Amino acid sequence: MLYIKCPYCGLRAQKEFSYGGDATVKRPNINEEVSSEDWDNFVYMRKSPRGKHIELWQHIAGCRQWIKVQRDTATHEIFQTAKVTEEIR
Amino acid sequence: MSQPFRLNKEGLINRNKKISFTFNGKKLFGYEGDTIASALIANGIHLVGRSFKYHRPRGFFGAGVEEPNAKLQVEFNGHSEPNVNATEMELVEGLSATSQNCWPSVNFDVGAINNFLKMFFPAGFYYKTFMWPKSFWYKIYEPFIRKAAGLGVASIEKDKERYEHKFEYCDLLVTGSGPSGLASAYAAAKNGAKVILAEDKPRFGGTLLTDDVSIDNLSGKDWAEKIITELKSMPNVTVKNRSQVFGYYDHNMLVMFERVSDHLEKKSKFTPRQRLWYIRAKETILSTGSIERPIVFGNNDTPGIFLSAAAKEYMKVYGVLVGKKPLIFTNNDSAYETALEFKKNNVEPIILDTREEHSSELIDEAKSKGIDIRFSHGVIVANGYKKVKSAKIGKLNKDKNSFEKIETVDCDCICVSGFWTPSVHLASQSGNKLKYEEKIDAFIPDKKKQHETSVGAANGSFTLEESLKNGFENGSNLSAKITDTKTEIAIPNVNEKKYGAHDKFWCMPLPKNENPKRFVDFQNDVSVSDIEIALREGYRSIEHVKRYTTLGMATDQGRTSNLNGLQLVSNIENKIVPEVGHTTFRPPFTPITIGTIVGREVGMEYMPTRKTPMHEWHEKNNAVFVDAGAWKRPRYYKQGNETLFEASKREAKNVRENVGICDVTTLGKIDIKGPDAAEFLNRVYTNAWMKLPVGKARYGLMLREDGIVMDDGTTTRISENHYHMTTTTAQAANVLSHLEYYLQIVWPELNVNVVSTTEQWAGAAIAGPKSRDMLSKLYPDLDVSNDSLPFMGYKEADFFGVPSRIFRISFSGELAYEINVKSDHGMFMWEKMMEVGKEFGNQPYGTEALSTLRIEMGHVAGPELDGRTIPSDVSLNGLVSKKKDFIGKNSLGREAFNVESRQKIVGLIPIDRKSSIPEGSHIVQDQNAKLPNPKLGHVSSSCWSVENNNPFSLAIMKDGKNMIGKKFFAVSPLKNKSIEVEVISSHYVDPEGKRVRS
Ligand SMILES: [Zn+2]
């Protein structure tokens, strides 16, 4: 079970979080034209890297904030966590 | 009753307390402190089971966790448990143990014929045998395999025991209380660290209990006791025996299995049987020790053959002799200690040492005591079927590949030692890539992956002095970094015997024309020839060899077989062991009970139960409940002998004709506040929200970004910047997370806050043509006319002195209202409604009637919004705005979503107007068509239409709207039904929606 540092609450067990996927995906702006290709990339296409991955988790049984977690998908090492308003590296 | 193999004095058992038990029906006794194994051996019993594949007689091999053979079915404290390790299970009064994997009895086992039909069971027999003909599987092969193989029998009784989970945090977790573990824990404790010391056995001390050593002029055992006593007195230390750390997971999370009360005769009602500890440790000391390695020889699985250290442990801890005519077969000095221990107890051993004649402290001592030592000797094959009777021994030539002399000697046990293997399972599980240490011919941990530090024998240090030093230093340094305190501890003086070098020799050759089985893995019945076959058949990777031969699998995890297997492969392949590599060590290190994994999360405690404030009333009024997520909802209110069908029909009919009330508290409720709330809803829902006036509700539909319908519900504008959203019961949590996602990540510029208020409001729906009359009685001072409170209207009003919210919304399709009051007033509201509603024929209705009402109206719900449908599939495209953007809009233009023949919602009625259509039925053109019969759609919801008095179903069907008027079959192979149906509109009752507006 991972040990995730919520930027608001501190180190908490994985049980308190739910996973939210790639944090680097940016939704096309609302009310703006978007090409089918860009839209499909946003909805469906995800990289599945072996190694460093910046992802979203929600502290669902805690402060309910969505947070960013930089994790190694192979070793589960967590390098950094941040608020969603903050940049990771 | 005497115990023929019990010593008079020796041992740590309590001779003042006899414990009676049975083995295969025979009444026996042992002493408090015995294991099942030690008590059986004391009684001279060695044959305890049959092997997995060949059903060969098997006895004990070890004295603890390393035991591969002695797994018993054990009944104690009122339950029956399979695969109990006899060398670990402590004796309790009344325990009853039986052999497994034998039929009809351990002494006469029909399956032993397999032993004589070995050619049927070579390596890979799982893959080669039983393959064809296919028709043989169910009738012949499977029953045969099931009867002949397998281990114990799982109980079919409900497990009445209590199991617990515990979460713990510490600075240092020490796994194992041998010398290095004790030293580590002690040093860390003195530095003020929060320490947990876990010992798998009942007694602390590990090898200190059996080795002939002294520390600071105390015996090993006394020193261990002194340290443990001091540790127990320290408030920062938790000391746990009978506790096995079996798994090393991510981020220094270790899991420990504690046998809390299996050894107790009586315990209090709330004492758990076993407990699972989740321990998050800042640092971990792995002081798991080492396991003795066997030497492979012919018929080395015969009962009476032991690991040499196990034989010593039986003498020193349990006061039990494993035999009175022992052969000690060794490639190293440690087995000499076993020989000396025998000698001390007036038993004359013969030592067979594979090394050439030489001298060392232990050899000299054995010689001086007059022990018969034969160098360059080894056991070729053990004789005896159910017990060792003699052994063919041989003098090895210089190259150790043939014999100079062969003779047979009588013996009743063989104690074998092939040197020591560090227990690196936990280190390996932590991610540590192991490295091969040539000095000890075994793997030891390499660079740390997590915060784990292996010490003592687990790290390949086999001397006491080194282990203690190692333990004290690491315990002190690791804890000092955490506590910032460093207490100097003097490393004690140690007196131990010096060992000479071991022989790199693990497999006895066979004389010409002799071919007894030489087992590498006892538990899985893998022999030398199996490994040879696997290699001959082209398996190279050690992981493949493992799977093909089953070497090192199952509960044993290769504890005694791993290295010998690798050595064999490397010899045949002409490689060195590190080139062959090792297989993956997987948790759990030892078997643990399913009960412990489940813990308290069983039955009613499987998940929390959510009850509405009116729950007690429902209970009192014969409600039959149904689970809706964690909620309990009344499914129907049973009157007399009514069935579900009769009751729900009565309740639904009453709503159509009079008025009914339904507890709708479980609907998800989300409070939405902020100046940008309207804009936010406009983006979240598919329909327009910018112009909803205060005091009005609107039905809304939300999609996922891929265009699939996520949820629906009504949202009401309470005041300028304040909205009250409702969601379905099932999606409440997901919708909240969804809204939070967009507000926190995608559109943080929107000034909106959301919070769940599901638990804060109690809700009741009043539905039916007489609901307005009833409402006017509930609110005598309020104008509830259609003009004042129209469909989708909203009012706040006083409900008999309690503030309340009135929403004119409808799920049933009838004229209906929903009243919300604070949860505390829920019961008051409900009872008042029942009282006031009497004159209008009001009756409560449950979810089954609720479903009937919504289905015949064609209202979609969970079964239609199943994660595969878009708005137009379920006739909700009217709610999809063309003018504005919203979540998921761009996906609705996708080609596949717009083909004419796409699945659409329709209604179905049986041609005979009588046969109910099972939910989940497939719609097909021809019920007798050849399989696979093309599927045109599926039945999503079914009910008995109370309006038309015949069955009606909703279905999602290909090209649905164009199928109206046509006939098909709804087939359910599960229910063995095929019903001819006609496709009609999904709006079966009041398609214009006049009633809700009346
Ligand atoms: Zn948090």
Side-chain angles (χ1 to χ4, degrees):
Chain A
M1 188 165 25
L2 307 186
Y3 211 21
I4 301 171
K5 189 176 176 182
C6 170
Y8 303 91
C9 309
L11 275 166
R12 297 299 172 102
Q14 184 186 347
K15 271 195 166 186
E16 296 184 11
F17 294 84
S18 82
Y19 182 69
D22 189 342
T24 62
V25 173
K26 199 182 167 315
R27 190 191 189 280
N29 287 337
I30 193 117
N31 295 320
E32 270 176 30
E33 276 290 313
V34 52
S35 72
S36 298
E37 202 185 334
D38 288 349
W39 183 256
D40 290 351
N41 280 338
F42 157 66
V43 176
Y44 296 106
M45 305 308 273
R46 294 290 183 274
K47 287 193 180 106
S48 181
R50 187 184 197 279
K52 281 189 179 178
H53 186 233
I54 301 173
E55 57 205 15
L56 292 168
W57 289 76
Q58 189 183 15
H59 195 188
I60 203 142
C63 62
R64 293 206 62 89
Q65 294 299 306
W66 286 87
I67 61 167
K68 282 182 190 169
V69 176
Q70 187 185 39
R71 182 181 64 104
D72 189 306
T73 56
T75 64
H76 292 315
E77 185 177 351
I78 290 176
F79 306 100
Q80 205 182 332
T81 59
K83 299 175 180 176
V84 286
T85 50
E86 296 168 348
E87 286 301 313
I88 284 192
R89 281 183 320 119
Chain B
M1 278 190 298
S2 68
Q3 295 190 320
F5 291 86
R6 184 78 73 174
L7 295 166
N8 288 330
K9 275 209 211 109
E10 195 83 31
L12 308 175
I13 49 167
N14 177 11
R15 282 167 210 269
N16 295 320
K17 193 173 173 203
K18 276 192 183 179
I19 295 180
S20 54
F21 71 107
T22 67
F23 175 66
N24 287 338
K26 192 174 172 193
K27 260 195 105 131
L28 299 163
F29 79 92
Y31 293 107
E32 186 178 65
D34 261 329
T35 59
I36 300 177
S38 66
L40 285 174
I41 298 168
N43 283 286
I45 295 171
H46 287 261
L47 173 60
V48 289
R50 293 274 172 167
S51 73
F52 191 65
K53 243 163 48 181
Y54 304 121
H55 289 243
R56 286 166 70 102
R58 287 283 165 82
F60 307 99
F61 189 62
V65 69
E66 74 283 3
E67 174 60 46
N69 295 329
K71 314 283 168 186
L72 302 176
Q73 186 88 26
V74 178
E75 275 165 51
F76 65 109
N77 296 341
H79 47 89
S80 181
E81 192 156 295
N83 309 331
V84 170
N85 205 352
T87 57
E88 292 182 276
M89 173 91 199
E90 291 166 77
L91 212 54
V92 280
E93 184 64 35
L95 173 150
S96 145
T98 43
S99 296
Q100 300 180 155
N101 202 26
C102 57
W103 180 77
S105 81
V106 70
N107 271 299
F108 174 73
D109 178 19
V110 170
I113 193 81
N114 296 349
N115 192 22
F116 302 101
L117 300 174
K118 307 186 229 225
M119 58 282 200
F120 287 163
F121 294 86
F125 87 108
Y126 289 109
Y127 305 101
K128 289 174 183 162
T129 324
F130 309 129
M131 291 302 281
W132 50 264
K134 206 175 157 190
S135 58
F136 269 38
W137 248 108
Y138 294 110
K139 283 187 180 140
I140 295 167
Y141 292 151
E142 198 182 310
F144 171 77
I145 294 172
R146 282 191 189 283
K147 187 148 186 109
L151 296 169
V153 184
S155 173
I156 54 168
E157 304 281 313
K158 191 176 171 213
D159 191 341
K160 293 182 212 83
E161 292 285 349
R162 189 186 173 98
Y163 301 87
E164 282 181 357
H165 287 182
K166 186 177 166 73
F167 289 79
E168 195 52 90
Y169 298 81
C170 65
D171 295 326
L172 186 72
L173 170 64
V174 181
T175 65
S177 72
S180 61
L182 285 177
S184 307
Y186 188 78
K190 285 284 178 194
N191 282 347
K194 193 177 171 199
V195 176
I196 298 175
L197 172 63
E199 168 59 45
D200 151 43
K201 295 199 167 184
R203 299 169 186 87
F204 295 99
T207 51
L208 291 174
L209 298 178
T210 53
D211 282 355
D212 194 7
V213 295
S214 73
I215 305 171
D216 278 351
N217 297 322
L218 292 172
S219 72
K221 179 182 147 284
D222 290 347
W223 185 81
E225 212 169 289
K226 188 190 123 196
I227 296 287
I228 282 290
T229 308
E230 191 172 345
L231 286 173
K232 278 182 177 167
S233 73
M234 297 171 83
N236 53 329
V237 182
T238 305
V239 170
K240 281 278 159 194
N241 56 342
R242 301 187 175 89
S243 296
Q244 174 85 55
V245 176
F246 67 80
Y248 202 134
Y249 299 90
D250 293 308
H251 299 176
N252 250 39
M253 159 74 77
L254 289 100
V255 185
M256 178 168 94
F257 172 60
E258 182 189 3
R259 305 184 302 278
V260 183
S261 61
D262 279 350
H263 63 292
L264 299 177
E265 232 171 278
K266 285 199 188 91
K267 56 176 182 177
S268 86
K269 192 181 160 197
F270 298 110
T271 307
R273 182 185 166 208
Q274 293 158 347
R275 187 181 282 135
L276 199 68
W277 293 57
Y278 293 95
I279 302 170
R280 189 79 70 173
K282 287 186 184 140
E283 294 286 344
T284 309
I285 288 277
L286 302 178
S287 47
T288 45
S290 56
I291 288 175
E292 202 168 28
R293 189 171 162 181
I295 302 175
V296 176
F297 58 91
N299 293 340
N300 54 340
D301 63 330
T302 312
I305 300 174
F306 284 83
L307 287 169
S308 130
K312 189 172 69 172
E313 190 171 336
Y314 282 116
M315 287 186 270
K316 294 206 76 155
V317 175
Y318 304 102
V320 168
L321 289 173
V322 301
K324 292 178 181 171
K325 261 176 135 341
L327 271 186
I328 314 279
F329 178 24
T330 185
N331 70 0
N332 71 91
D333 276 6
S334 67
Y336 282 74
E337 298 214 41
T338 306
L340 288 166
E341 193 62 30
F342 271 117
K343 182 82 185 174
K344 209 170 87 190
N345 289 298
N346 302 316
V347 173
E348 296 295 335
I350 301 173
I351 298 176
L352 306 177
D353 193 328
T354 63
R355 298 171 295 184
E356 285 170 26
E357 171 132 29
H358 67 290
S359 148
S360 78
E361 192 180 342
L362 271 156
I363 292 171
D364 296 347
E365 188 179 341
K367 272 186 184 161
S368 75
K369 295 251 160 80
I371 293 176
D372 181 355
I373 306 173
R374 305 186 191 178
F375 291 101
S376 296
H377 267 73
V379 177
I380 300 167
V381 57
N383 300 323
Y385 184 54
K386 289 174 193 165
K387 179 73 198 295
V388 178
K389 285 187 190 129
S390 63
K392 193 182 277 183
I393 65 171
K395 182 163 198 234
L396 290 153
N397 68 352
K398 199 118 188 118
D399 294 335
K400 293 185 180 160
N401 55 12
S402 71
F403 301 100
E404 288 174 3
K405 199 178 104 193
I406 292 176
E407 63 183 310
T408 297
V409 293
D410 283 351
C411 62
D412 66 353
C413 70
I414 300 173
C415 306
V416 59
S417 176
F419 206 53
W420 294 85
T421 308
S423 284
V424 292
H425 295 66
L426 288 175
S428 172
Q429 286 175 23
S430 80
N432 193 311
K433 300 269 175 249
L434 308 174
K435 66 179 177 206
Y436 193 73
E437 181 74 291
E438 205 137 351
K439 208 172 76 190
I440 58 167
D441 293 291
F443 288 95
I444 60 168
D446 200 353
K447 270 195 216 88
K448 290 183 197 194
K449 266 285 152 126
Q450 299 197 32
H451 293 274
E452 86 285 0
T453 306
S454 294
V455 297
N459 198 34
S461 312
F462 292 148
T463 70
L464 178 61
E465 191 180 1
E466 213 179 333
S467 289
L468 284 175
K469 192 164 163 275
N470 217 220
F472 279 117
E473 277 174 9
N474 280 296
S476 178
N477 293 341
L478 290 167
S479 57
K481 270 191 279 174
I482 298 166
T483 63
D484 254 340
T485 311
K486 191 143 186 175
T487 310
E488 284 306 322
I489 298 171
I491 294 177
N493 289 316
V494 170
N495 207 332
E496 63 181 318
K497 284 169 186 147
K498 277 206 175 60
Y499 285 12
H502 71 281
D503 191 8
K504 294 172 186 290
F505 179 81
W506 289 278
C507 184
M508 283 293 280
L510 290 173
K512 271 200 183 110
N513 303 324
E514 283 198 44
N515 206 14
K517 282 243 171 229
R518 292 174 294 171
F519 285 95
V520 180
D521 180 333
F522 298 110
Q523 187 171 73
N524 296 295
D525 259 1
V526 180
S527 66
V528 173
S529 58
D530 290 324
I531 293 170
E532 287 167 351
I533 289 172
L535 292 164
R536 200 159 67 225
E537 292 183 357
Y539 290 87
R540 289 292 173 273
S541 152
I542 190 68
E543 291 282 3
H544 290 160
V545 172
K546 168 177 167 175
R547 274 151 193 82
Y548 196 58
T549 61
T550 69
L551 170 75
M553 307 238 280
T555 68
D556 189 55
Q557 285 292 297
R559 275 188 276 279
T560 53
S561 62
N562 207 327
L563 274 171
N564 282 344
L566 293 178
Q567 191 72 52
L568 262 164
V569 172
S570 58
N571 285 354
I572 297 168
E573 291 274 283
N574 246 329
K575 282 181 182 166
I576 49 171
V577 172
E579 276 180 75
V580 175
H582 61 86
T583 54
T584 313
F585 296 98
R586 295 182 197 285
F589 174 64
T590 49
I592 56 172
T593 58
I594 298 283
T596 318
I597 298 170
V598 172
R600 299 284 291 145
E601 290 168 18
V602 66
M604 285 297 289
E605 282 81 40
Y606 180 65
M607 60 179 181
T609 304
R610 297 175 89 180
K611 294 176 182 170
T612 76
M614 292 83 98
H615 187 84
E616 249 172 74
W617 190 94
H618 303 323
E619 266 180 339
K620 275 187 206 140
N621 288 275
N622 294 326
V624 176
F625 291 94
V626 62
D627 291 340
W631 289 100
K632 295 278 173 207
R633 295 194 77 178
R635 192 170 184 194
Y636 63 101
Y637 299 83
K638 192 177 176 127
Q639 292 185 359
N641 289 326
E642 271 181 335
T643 62
L644 162 69
F645 178 69
E646 290 160 353
S648 61
K649 220 158 100 174
R650 167 181 55 75
E651 292 170 6
K653 208 154 181 267
N654 191 57
V655 171
R656 292 273 183 250
E657 288 169 2
N658 299 305
V659 59
I661 61 171
C662 180
D663 185 347
V664 292
T665 304
T666 62
L667 282 184
K669 303 175 204 73
I670 298 169
D671 218 44
I672 301 174
K673 280 184 177 170
D676 297 321
E679 172 63 26
F680 180 54
L681 290 172
N682 209 43
R683 296 178 185 188
V684 166
Y685 283 129
T686 58
N687 44 340
W689 283 80
M690 297 309 284
K691 286 176 187 157
L692 181 71
V694 172
K696 285 280 183 191
R698 184 165 285 176
Y699 179 72
L701 189 67
M702 60 177 82
L703 308 185
R704 311 189 309 215
E705 292 286 19
D706 62 1
I708 300 291
V709 177
M710 180 174 178
D711 199 44
D712 67 338
T714 59
T715 292
T716 306
R717 192 166 195 177
I718 306 283
S719 67
E720 183 64 25
N721 294 329
H722 183 190
Y723 292 78
H724 173 81
M725 174 185 277
T726 64
T727 72
T728 57
T729 302
Q731 290 292 329
N734 289 344
V735 170
L736 183 64
S737 275
H738 179 74
L739 300 182
E740 286 164 337
Y741 173 86
Y742 284 93
L743 287 173
Q744 292 174 27
I745 296 169
V746 186
W747 304 311
E749 68 278 9
L750 293 183
N751 190 352
V752 180
N753 273 302
V754 293
V755 68
S756 166
T757 55
T758 304
E759 304 266 349
Q760 276 64 40
W761 296 101
I766 311 175
K770 295 182 186 165
S771 59
R772 183 178 292 124
D773 300 341
M774 182 171 153
L775 192 75
S776 68
K777 281 268 176 151
L778 291 171
Y779 294 94
D781 302 330
L782 191 70
D783 181 0
V784 296
S785 67
N786 206 17
D787 289 337
S788 172
L789 183 55
F791 183 52
M792 288 293 176
Y794 168 75
K795 276 185 192 295
E796 289 169 15
D798 185 87
F799 181 95
F800 300 102
V802 168
S804 73
R805 292 172 165 184
I806 311 168
F807 306 84
R808 187 172 161 190
I809 52 180
S810 176
F811 189 60
S812 57
E814 292 295 329
L815 170 65
Y817 304 87
E818 269 182 38
I819 317 290
N820 280 188
V821 294
K822 281 183 189 160
S823 293
D824 292 349
H825 301 139
M827 186 64 104
F828 169 76
M829 167 182 71
W830 188 266
E831 284 180 332
K832 213 71 193 165
M833 285 178 172
M834 287 307 298
E835 182 190 316
V836 171
K838 257 183 217 151
E839 60 175 293
F840 307 103
N842 171 50
Q843 283 181 19
Y845 64 101
T847 55
E848 199 69 20
L850 185 71
S851 293
T852 296
L853 296 165
R854 71 97 188 161
I855 292 168
E856 62 178 4
M857 282 286 172
H859 286 178
V860 292
E864 287 76 36
L865 309 180
D866 63 354
R868 290 180 292 185
T869 45
I870 58 169
S872 59
D873 295 348
V874 287
S875 289
L876 292 174
N877 30 336
L879 286 170
V880 179
S881 168
K882 296 213 165 53
K883 293 187 189 131
K884 56 136 195 176
D885 198 2
F886 52 84
I887 292 169
K889 182 175 191 178
N890 282 306
S891 291
L892 293 179
R894 294 177 69 82
E895 202 180 330
F897 286 170
N898 291 287
V899 291
E900 186 58 29
S901 63
R902 196 179 154 77
Q903 53 177 14
K904 294 272 156 43
I905 188 166
V906 293
L908 299 178
I909 45 169
I911 302 292
D912 67 3
R913 299 291 191 276
K914 279 195 297 243
S915 307
S916 290
I917 308 164
E919 287 173 354
S921 294
H922 284 198
I923 301 164
V924 298
Q925 183 77 59
D926 175 4
Q927 61 171 338
N928 297 317
K930 211 176 130 232
L931 295 175
N933 195 344
K935 176 192 161 185
L936 306 173
H938 71 276
V939 176
S940 55
S941 303
S942 285
C943 73
W944 184 278
S945 166
V946 289
E947 185 90 6
N948 297 304
N949 202 28
N950 57 251
F952 174 72
S953 293
L954 295 175
I956 308 283
M957 195 177 173
K958 220 170 160 184
D959 202 14
K961 297 289 175 245
N962 294 324
M963 296 296 153
I964 288 177
K966 294 187 180 157
K967 287 175 187 171
F968 296 92
F969 288 91
V971 294
S972 172
L974 265 180
K975 298 257 164 85
N976 202 17
K977 275 191 176 168
S978 175
I979 294 157
E980 193 172 14
V981 294
E982 185 186 336
V983 179
I984 60 170
S985 157
S986 58
H987 299 289
Y988 196 35
V989 173
D990 188 21
E992 293 89 30
K994 282 184 191 151
R995 292 180 191 180
V996 291
R997 292 182 172 79
S998 65

